[in-house]
Amino acid sequence: TLARVLEDLCAAVGALKTPPAPATLSLLATAAHHPLLACRGRPSAGVWQSVSTKARFTEATPGVAAAWWRSLRALLGSARKLPMDEPTGLRNACLASARLFRTLTPDSVAALQEEARQLVKECTDALHSEEVAKETDWDVAVFFALEGRLYVEEGTYIAEEREDKNVKKNKFLKDLYDDDDLVADKRAAAPSAGANKFLPPDRKGKDKPGSKAKAKASSAPSAGNMTASDIEAAKIAEQSATRSRIRTYLDEAKFALDALVALVDIPDVRPVLGDAAPELIRHLLILLKSPLTVLRSQRCLRALVRQFVPEDVLPFKALLPEALTVVVKGWLQRTPSACGTPGDTPVVDVVLESASIKKVMPAAPFALVLPMIMRVLSDSCYALQALCSRALLLLEKQLVLGAEVPDVRISGVFDCLG
């Protein structure tokens, strides 16, 4: 089978006297996580365990391990450019190999965290939050429409050209001719005798010079003489180009989000993600606003909340992704059923009421709760009076306890208080 062939290759690599190239180790590690090698009785983790033992991955020195992680990070950067529906399975294999950023030896932790820090930065830059924020509602609706069919906004009236039956006719001349339109067509089609009277003998009955060229030129569709089907085909092509443009950066953003989810579960990488959490959360809040990325962003937020938010400071931390979605979309005064959230009480109220005012929040949890506090205070009104009081009390207590406000949020805090 393919798994045995890969094991034989890894055994040959492990038997070498000189350490193999980092690119070779990266390719072997990626191949071990390919979907073709996994089965129900032996998942990818089991294949990797056998391969890593035979290729002696765990015996690598810190220098070799750092070079291997650097090569693996470059491979992930190349796989990020692949389309989501690529048929070879390489994209999924590279994404699964992101879980390999683990410590091989006790003295390689520093090298691992340095490479993981670079990988987290690259994934954060690949989220394309600015491009997502610039997309109009029309382009988003076109992206989700069917390919090959013209998308028209629901409820739009499409006018059709109809024959005009309301034509005035002279009733006194009606009996003189059988049909006025037919007589007019015959008169227009009949050649004029006076027009050919003064033509030379060799020119009579022939077309004027250049008339055929003009006819050919007029047969090609242009902006002035396009038919309804030509216009519809042009609009369909324009909408297909819009989908292709959005799909190019959206596939890369989804790969980056999935890679971040894989890194969250690695114990040695969590300190790196904790340091990058404030900047990462800022991008995720932008992605939550768009239907293009809201589901993947909520999945990434759930992974971050699971690892970085302690239950003693936020008991209802499981509702944080939904609460942040309500906040960024400005749905504070909507009912839970209209927002699509569980329960009869708004999730923002539940989260802020459960937040502790006696224990200081670490940087990552406070970076998640602070956007809710700021939005509630900015949208303060009579209907949100109780929620505003709770948000203001929570902000005051956490600042007194020593909670750190991210640098990107300092000016926003003063604005909402003003």
Side-chain angles (χ1 to χ4, degrees), residues 31-61:
H33 289 81
H34 199 279
L36 288 176
L37 299 181
C39 60
R40 182 179 299 179
R42 193 181 187 190
S44 297
V47 177
W48 165 246
Q49 185 176 3
S50 176
V51 166
S52 61
T53 302
K54 293 187 177 182
R56 298 190 301 178
F57 276 87
T58 56
E59 301 177 9
T61 61

PDB file of all heavy atoms in Angstrom, residues 31-61:
ATOM      1  N   ALA A  31       3.330  14.195   3.252  1.00  0.00           N
ATOM      2  CA  ALA A  31       2.791  12.979   2.645  1.00  0.00           C
ATOM      3  C   ALA A  31       2.144  12.072   3.688  1.00  0.00           C
ATOM      4  O   ALA A  31       1.155  11.390   3.411  1.00  0.00           O
ATOM      5  CB  ALA A  31       3.899  12.232   1.907  1.00  0.00           C
ATOM      6  N   ALA A  32       2.689  12.057   4.907  1.00  0.00           N
ATOM      7  CA  ALA A  32       2.110  11.226   5.963  1.00  0.00           C
ATOM      8  C   ALA A  32       0.724  11.690   6.374  1.00  0.00           C
ATOM      9  O   ALA A  32      -0.057  10.914   6.920  1.00  0.00           O
ATOM     10  CB  ALA A  32       3.030  11.215   7.184  1.00  0.00           C
ATOM     11  N   HIS A  33       0.399  12.959   6.108  1.00  0.00           N
ATOM     12  CA  HIS A  33      -0.909  13.499   6.473  1.00  0.00           C
ATOM     13  C   HIS A  33      -1.850  13.605   5.272  1.00  0.00           C
ATOM     14  O   HIS A  33      -2.900  14.252   5.367  1.00  0.00           O
ATOM     15  CB  HIS A  33      -0.752  14.888   7.112  1.00  0.00           C
ATOM     16  CG  HIS A  33      -0.144  14.842   8.472  1.00  0.00           C
ATOM     17  ND1 HIS A  33       1.222  14.734   8.665  1.00  0.00           N
ATOM     18  CD2 HIS A  33      -0.693  14.870   9.711  1.00  0.00           C
ATOM     19  CE1 HIS A  33       1.481  14.718   9.973  1.00  0.00           C
ATOM     20  NE2 HIS A  33       0.342  14.802  10.614  1.00  0.00           N
ATOM     21  N   HIS A  34      -1.504  12.988   4.162  1.00  0.00           N
ATOM     22  CA  HIS A  34      -2.374  13.038   2.990  1.00  0.00           C
ATOM     23  C   HIS A  34      -3.629  12.202   3.239  1.00  0.00           C
ATOM     24  O   HIS A  34      -3.559  11.125   3.846  1.00  0.00           O
ATOM     25  CB  HIS A  34      -1.637  12.526   1.758  1.00  0.00           C
ATOM     26  CG  HIS A  34      -2.277  12.945   0.473  1.00  0.00           C
ATOM     27  ND1 HIS A  34      -3.365  12.296  -0.064  1.00  0.00           N
ATOM     28  CD2 HIS A  34      -1.989  13.967  -0.377  1.00  0.00           C
ATOM     29  CE1 HIS A  34      -3.714  12.891  -1.190  1.00  0.00           C
ATOM     30  NE2 HIS A  34      -2.904  13.906  -1.406  1.00  0.00           N
ATOM     31  N   PRO A  35      -4.774  12.658   2.778  1.00  0.00           N
ATOM     32  CA  PRO A  35      -6.011  11.893   3.020  1.00  0.00           C
ATOM     33  C   PRO A  35      -5.998  10.491   2.425  1.00  0.00           C
ATOM     34  O   PRO A  35      -6.710   9.607   2.914  1.00  0.00           O
ATOM     35  CB  PRO A  35      -7.091  12.766   2.353  1.00  0.00           C
ATOM     36  CG  PRO A  35      -6.516  14.139   2.322  1.00  0.00           C
ATOM     37  CD  PRO A  35      -5.051  13.972   2.155  1.00  0.00           C
ATOM     38  N   LEU A  36      -5.195  10.252   1.381  1.00  0.00           N
ATOM     39  CA  LEU A  36      -5.171   8.922   0.773  1.00  0.00           C
ATOM     40  C   LEU A  36      -4.574   7.866   1.696  1.00  0.00           C
ATOM     41  O   LEU A  36      -4.893   6.673   1.572  1.00  0.00           O
ATOM     42  CB  LEU A  36      -4.386   8.949  -0.542  1.00  0.00           C
ATOM     43  CG  LEU A  36      -5.058   9.652  -1.722  1.00  0.00           C
ATOM     44  CD1 LEU A  36      -4.122   9.690  -2.910  1.00  0.00           C
ATOM     45  CD2 LEU A  36      -6.357   8.964  -2.091  1.00  0.00           C
ATOM     46  N   LEU A  37      -3.710   8.285   2.613  1.00  0.00           N
ATOM     47  CA  LEU A  37      -3.041   7.316   3.491  1.00  0.00           C
ATOM     48  C   LEU A  37      -3.842   7.013   4.749  1.00  0.00           C
ATOM     49  O   LEU A  37      -3.529   6.044   5.446  1.00  0.00           O
ATOM     50  CB  LEU A  37      -1.656   7.847   3.884  1.00  0.00           C
ATOM     51  CG  LEU A  37      -0.678   8.099   2.737  1.00  0.00           C
ATOM     52  CD1 LEU A  37       0.644   8.606   3.281  1.00  0.00           C
ATOM     53  CD2 LEU A  37      -0.465   6.840   1.922  1.00  0.00           C
ATOM     54  N   ALA A  38      -4.820   7.804   5.050  1.00  0.00           N
ATOM     55  CA  ALA A  38      -5.610   7.591   6.266  1.00  0.00           C
ATOM     56  C   ALA A  38      -6.763   6.635   5.988  1.00  0.00           C
ATOM     57  O   ALA A  38      -7.293   6.569   4.881  1.00  0.00           O
ATOM     58  CB  ALA A  38      -6.155   8.920   6.786  1.00  0.00           C
ATOM     59  N   CYS A  39      -7.120   5.880   6.975  1.00  0.00           N
ATOM     60  CA  CYS A  39      -8.258   4.972   6.885  1.00  0.00           C
ATOM     61  C   CYS A  39      -8.931   4.923   8.256  1.00  0.00           C
ATOM     62  O   CYS A  39      -8.451   5.521   9.229  1.00  0.00           O
ATOM     63  CB  CYS A  39      -7.826   3.576   6.428  1.00  0.00           C
ATOM     64  SG  CYS A  39      -6.642   2.765   7.512  1.00  0.00           S
ATOM     65  N   ARG A  40     -10.021   4.193   8.344  1.00  0.00           N
ATOM     66  CA  ARG A  40     -10.765   4.148   9.600  1.00  0.00           C
ATOM     67  C   ARG A  40      -9.949   3.474  10.706  1.00  0.00           C
ATOM     68  O   ARG A  40      -9.957   3.902  11.854  1.00  0.00           O
ATOM     69  CB  ARG A  40     -12.078   3.400   9.387  1.00  0.00           C
ATOM     70  CG  ARG A  40     -12.957   3.332  10.624  1.00  0.00           C
ATOM     71  CD  ARG A  40     -14.250   2.608  10.324  1.00  0.00           C
ATOM     72  NE  ARG A  40     -15.017   3.304   9.297  1.00  0.00           N
ATOM     73  CZ  ARG A  40     -16.187   2.862   8.826  1.00  0.00           C
ATOM     74  NH1 ARG A  40     -16.710   1.725   9.274  1.00  0.00           N
ATOM     75  NH2 ARG A  40     -16.829   3.557   7.912  1.00  0.00           N
ATOM     76  N   GLY A  41      -9.228   2.430  10.366  1.00  0.00           N
ATOM     77  CA  GLY A  41      -8.458   1.732  11.385  1.00  0.00           C
ATOM     78  C   GLY A  41      -7.143   2.391  11.720  1.00  0.00           C
ATOM     79  O   GLY A  41      -6.545   2.104  12.760  1.00  0.00           O
ATOM     80  N   ARG A  42      -6.668   3.273  10.826  1.00  0.00           N
ATOM     81  CA  ARG A  42      -5.377   3.915  11.047  1.00  0.00           C
ATOM     82  C   ARG A  42      -5.455   5.352  10.549  1.00  0.00           C
ATOM     83  O   ARG A  42      -5.218   5.624   9.374  1.00  0.00           O
ATOM     84  CB  ARG A  42      -4.280   3.156  10.306  1.00  0.00           C
ATOM     85  CG  ARG A  42      -2.875   3.571  10.730  1.00  0.00           C
ATOM     86  CD  ARG A  42      -1.846   2.801   9.927  1.00  0.00           C
ATOM     87  NE  ARG A  42      -0.505   3.034  10.406  1.00  0.00           N
ATOM     88  CZ  ARG A  42       0.592   2.629   9.763  1.00  0.00           C
ATOM     89  NH1 ARG A  42       0.482   1.960   8.634  1.00  0.00           N
ATOM     90  NH2 ARG A  42       1.789   2.865  10.268  1.00  0.00           N
ATOM     91  N   PRO A  43      -5.779   6.309  11.405  1.00  0.00           N
ATOM     92  CA  PRO A  43      -5.882   7.704  10.972  1.00  0.00           C
ATOM     93  C   PRO A  43      -4.508   8.295  10.680  1.00  0.00           C
ATOM     94  O   PRO A  43      -3.466   7.643  10.816  1.00  0.00           O
ATOM     95  CB  PRO A  43      -6.562   8.383  12.167  1.00  0.00           C
ATOM     96  CG  PRO A  43      -6.232   7.523  13.338  1.00  0.00           C
ATOM     97  CD  PRO A  43      -6.147   6.121  12.811  1.00  0.00           C
ATOM     98  N   SER A  44      -4.522   9.565  10.302  1.00  0.00           N
ATOM     99  CA  SER A  44      -3.268  10.233   9.931  1.00  0.00           C
ATOM    100  C   SER A  44      -2.293  10.297  11.106  1.00  0.00           C
ATOM    101  O   SER A  44      -1.071  10.232  10.908  1.00  0.00           O
ATOM    102  CB  SER A  44      -3.569  11.655   9.441  1.00  0.00           C
ATOM    103  OG  SER A  44      -4.367  11.620   8.286  1.00  0.00           O
ATOM    104  N   ALA A  45      -2.813  10.401  12.326  1.00  0.00           N
ATOM    105  CA  ALA A  45      -1.920  10.453  13.492  1.00  0.00           C
ATOM    106  C   ALA A  45      -1.127   9.150  13.631  1.00  0.00           C
ATOM    107  O   ALA A  45       0.060   9.163  13.969  1.00  0.00           O
ATOM    108  CB  ALA A  45      -2.734  10.717  14.757  1.00  0.00           C
ATOM    109  N   GLY A  46      -1.772   8.011  13.353  1.00  0.00           N
ATOM    110  CA  GLY A  46      -1.060   6.742  13.426  1.00  0.00           C
ATOM    111  C   GLY A  46      -0.020   6.597  12.344  1.00  0.00           C
ATOM    112  O   GLY A  46       1.073   6.066  12.581  1.00  0.00           O
ATOM    113  N   VAL A  47      -0.331   7.063  11.138  1.00  0.00           N
ATOM    114  CA  VAL A  47       0.660   7.022  10.048  1.00  0.00           C
ATOM    115  C   VAL A  47       1.849   7.904  10.392  1.00  0.00           C
ATOM    116  O   VAL A  47       3.013   7.522  10.191  1.00  0.00           O
ATOM    117  CB  VAL A  47       0.002   7.468   8.733  1.00  0.00           C
ATOM    118  CG1 VAL A  47       1.030   7.499   7.608  1.00  0.00           C
ATOM    119  CG2 VAL A  47      -1.141   6.543   8.361  1.00  0.00           C
ATOM    120  N   TRP A  48       1.596   9.089  10.929  1.00  0.00           N
ATOM    121  CA  TRP A  48       2.690   9.996  11.264  1.00  0.00           C
ATOM    122  C   TRP A  48       3.553   9.427  12.380  1.00  0.00           C
ATOM    123  O   TRP A  48       4.773   9.593  12.366  1.00  0.00           O
ATOM    124  CB  TRP A  48       2.147  11.358  11.662  1.00  0.00           C
ATOM    125  CG  TRP A  48       3.151  12.232  12.347  1.00  0.00           C
ATOM    126  CD1 TRP A  48       3.128  12.668  13.618  1.00  0.00           C
ATOM    127  CD2 TRP A  48       4.351  12.746  11.767  1.00  0.00           C
ATOM    128  NE1 TRP A  48       4.212  13.422  13.902  1.00  0.00           N
ATOM    129  CE2 TRP A  48       5.000  13.491  12.767  1.00  0.00           C
ATOM    130  CE3 TRP A  48       4.938  12.647  10.522  1.00  0.00           C
ATOM    131  CZ2 TRP A  48       6.202  14.137  12.554  1.00  0.00           C
ATOM    132  CZ3 TRP A  48       6.146  13.283  10.296  1.00  0.00           C
ATOM    133  CH2 TRP A  48       6.756  14.025  11.305  1.00  0.00           C
ATOM    134  N   GLN A  49       2.960   8.786  13.335  1.00  0.00           N
ATOM    135  CA  GLN A  49       3.744   8.207  14.424  1.00  0.00           C
ATOM    136  C   GLN A  49       4.716   7.160  13.905  1.00  0.00           C
ATOM    137  O   GLN A  49       5.888   7.121  14.300  1.00  0.00           O
ATOM    138  CB  GLN A  49       2.811   7.588  15.464  1.00  0.00           C
ATOM    139  CG  GLN A  49       3.532   7.059  16.704  1.00  0.00           C
ATOM    140  CD  GLN A  49       2.574   6.533  17.746  1.00  0.00           C
ATOM    141  OE1 GLN A  49       1.355   6.512  17.521  1.00  0.00           O
ATOM    142  NE2 GLN A  49       3.088   6.114  18.885  1.00  0.00           N
ATOM    143  N   SER A  50       4.275   6.297  12.998  1.00  0.00           N
ATOM    144  CA  SER A  50       5.161   5.284  12.424  1.00  0.00           C
ATOM    145  C   SER A  50       6.234   5.917  11.554  1.00  0.00           C
ATOM    146  O   SER A  50       7.410   5.534  11.607  1.00  0.00           O
ATOM    147  CB  SER A  50       4.334   4.286  11.606  1.00  0.00           C
ATOM    148  OG  SER A  50       5.170   3.345  10.968  1.00  0.00           O
ATOM    149  N   VAL A  51       5.845   6.924  10.761  1.00  0.00           N
ATOM    150  CA  VAL A  51       6.799   7.570   9.847  1.00  0.00           C
ATOM    151  C   VAL A  51       7.850   8.342  10.629  1.00  0.00           C
ATOM    152  O   VAL A  51       9.047   8.291  10.322  1.00  0.00           O
ATOM    153  CB  VAL A  51       6.030   8.486   8.880  1.00  0.00           C
ATOM    154  CG1 VAL A  51       6.982   9.430   8.167  1.00  0.00           C
ATOM    155  CG2 VAL A  51       5.262   7.652   7.861  1.00  0.00           C
ATOM    156  N   SER A  52       7.439   9.083  11.657  1.00  0.00           N
ATOM    157  CA  SER A  52       8.396   9.894  12.413  1.00  0.00           C
ATOM    158  C   SER A  52       9.402   9.023  13.160  1.00  0.00           C
ATOM    159  O   SER A  52      10.567   9.411  13.336  1.00  0.00           O
ATOM    160  CB  SER A  52       7.634  10.792  13.394  1.00  0.00           C
ATOM    161  OG  SER A  52       6.890   9.997  14.315  1.00  0.00           O
ATOM    162  N   THR A  53       8.970   7.848  13.581  1.00  0.00           N
ATOM    163  CA  THR A  53       9.894   6.953  14.279  1.00  0.00           C
ATOM    164  C   THR A  53      10.949   6.401  13.330  1.00  0.00           C
ATOM    165  O   THR A  53      12.145   6.362  13.654  1.00  0.00           O
ATOM    166  CB  THR A  53       9.121   5.803  14.930  1.00  0.00           C
ATOM    167  OG1 THR A  53       8.157   6.355  15.839  1.00  0.00           O
ATOM    168  CG2 THR A  53      10.052   4.886  15.690  1.00  0.00           C
ATOM    169  N   LYS A  54      10.540   5.980  12.140  1.00  0.00           N
ATOM    170  CA  LYS A  54      11.482   5.392  11.192  1.00  0.00           C
ATOM    171  C   LYS A  54      12.399   6.442  10.578  1.00  0.00           C
ATOM    172  O   LYS A  54      13.550   6.151  10.248  1.00  0.00           O
ATOM    173  CB  LYS A  54      10.715   4.660  10.101  1.00  0.00           C
ATOM    174  CG  LYS A  54       9.976   3.430  10.622  1.00  0.00           C
ATOM    175  CD  LYS A  54       9.364   2.625   9.496  1.00  0.00           C
ATOM    176  CE  LYS A  54       8.704   1.363  10.053  1.00  0.00           C
ATOM    177  NZ  LYS A  54       8.138   0.512   8.983  1.00  0.00           N
ATOM    178  N   ALA A  55      11.905   7.659  10.403  1.00  0.00           N
ATOM    179  CA  ALA A  55      12.755   8.715   9.846  1.00  0.00           C
ATOM    180  C   ALA A  55      13.556   9.442  10.915  1.00  0.00           C
ATOM    181  O   ALA A  55      14.322  10.349  10.584  1.00  0.00           O
ATOM    182  CB  ALA A  55      11.903   9.723   9.085  1.00  0.00           C
ATOM    183  N   ARG A  56      13.404   9.064  12.181  1.00  0.00           N
ATOM    184  CA  ARG A  56      14.146   9.616  13.326  1.00  0.00           C
ATOM    185  C   ARG A  56      13.960  11.136  13.442  1.00  0.00           C
ATOM    186  O   ARG A  56      14.907  11.894  13.593  1.00  0.00           O
ATOM    187  CB  ARG A  56      15.629   9.271  13.220  1.00  0.00           C
ATOM    188  CG  ARG A  56      15.899   7.768  13.237  1.00  0.00           C
ATOM    189  CD  ARG A  56      17.379   7.479  13.380  1.00  0.00           C
ATOM    190  NE  ARG A  56      18.146   8.066  12.307  1.00  0.00           N
ATOM    191  CZ  ARG A  56      19.482   8.000  12.221  1.00  0.00           C
ATOM    192  NH1 ARG A  56      20.167   7.378  13.179  1.00  0.00           N
ATOM    193  NH2 ARG A  56      20.106   8.559  11.214  1.00  0.00           N
ATOM    194  N   PHE A  57      12.690  11.568  13.335  1.00  0.00           N
ATOM    195  CA  PHE A  57      12.391  12.989  13.496  1.00  0.00           C
ATOM    196  C   PHE A  57      12.688  13.437  14.925  1.00  0.00           C
ATOM    197  O   PHE A  57      13.129  14.564  15.153  1.00  0.00           O
ATOM    198  CB  PHE A  57      10.915  13.250  13.171  1.00  0.00           C
ATOM    199  CG  PHE A  57      10.646  13.441  11.705  1.00  0.00           C
ATOM    200  CD1 PHE A  57      10.399  12.354  10.891  1.00  0.00           C
ATOM    201  CD2 PHE A  57      10.633  14.696  11.130  1.00  0.00           C
ATOM    202  CE1 PHE A  57      10.139  12.516   9.544  1.00  0.00           C
ATOM    203  CE2 PHE A  57      10.382  14.876   9.796  1.00  0.00           C
ATOM    204  CZ  PHE A  57      10.132  13.780   8.994  1.00  0.00           C
ATOM    205  N   THR A  58      12.405  12.577  15.878  1.00  0.00           N
ATOM    206  CA  THR A  58      12.573  12.970  17.284  1.00  0.00           C
ATOM    207  C   THR A  58      14.031  13.089  17.695  1.00  0.00           C
ATOM    208  O   THR A  58      14.321  13.625  18.761  1.00  0.00           O
ATOM    209  CB  THR A  58      11.880  11.943  18.186  1.00  0.00           C
ATOM    210  OG1 THR A  58      12.418  10.631  17.905  1.00  0.00           O
ATOM    211  CG2 THR A  58      10.379  11.927  17.930  1.00  0.00           C
ATOM    212  N   GLU A  59      14.961  12.614  16.874  1.00  0.00           N
ATOM    213  CA  GLU A  59      16.379  12.707  17.194  1.00  0.00           C
ATOM    214  C   GLU A  59      17.049  13.920  16.578  1.00  0.00           C
ATOM    215  O   GLU A  59      18.265  14.049  16.633  1.00  0.00           O
ATOM    216  CB  GLU A  59      17.094  11.433  16.722  1.00  0.00           C
ATOM    217  CG  GLU A  59      16.546  10.150  17.355  1.00  0.00           C
ATOM    218  CD  GLU A  59      17.226   8.922  16.813  1.00  0.00           C
ATOM    219  OE1 GLU A  59      18.235   9.083  16.079  1.00  0.00           O
ATOM    220  OE2 GLU A  59      16.775   7.797  17.110  1.00  0.00           O
ATOM    221  N   ALA A  60      16.260  14.796  15.964  1.00  0.00           N
ATOM    222  CA  ALA A  60      16.835  15.959  15.299  1.00  0.00           C
ATOM    223  C   ALA A  60      17.396  16.950  16.312  1.00  0.00           C
ATOM    224  O   ALA A  60      16.827  17.165  17.386  1.00  0.00           O
ATOM    225  CB  ALA A  60      15.772  16.644  14.439  1.00  0.00           C
ATOM    226  N   THR A  61      18.497  17.550  15.956  1.00  0.00           N
ATOM    227  CA  THR A  61      19.106  18.584  16.801  1.00  0.00           C
ATOM    228  C   THR A  61      18.297  19.875  16.674  1.00  0.00           C
ATOM    229  O   THR A  61      17.493  20.039  15.756  1.00  0.00           O
ATOM    230  CB  THR A  61      20.551  18.829  16.359  1.00  0.00           C
ATOM    231  OG1 THR A  61      20.543  19.279  14.987  1.00  0.00           O
ATOM    232  CG2 THR A  61      21.364  17.544  16.465  1.00  0.00           C
TER     233      THR A  61
END
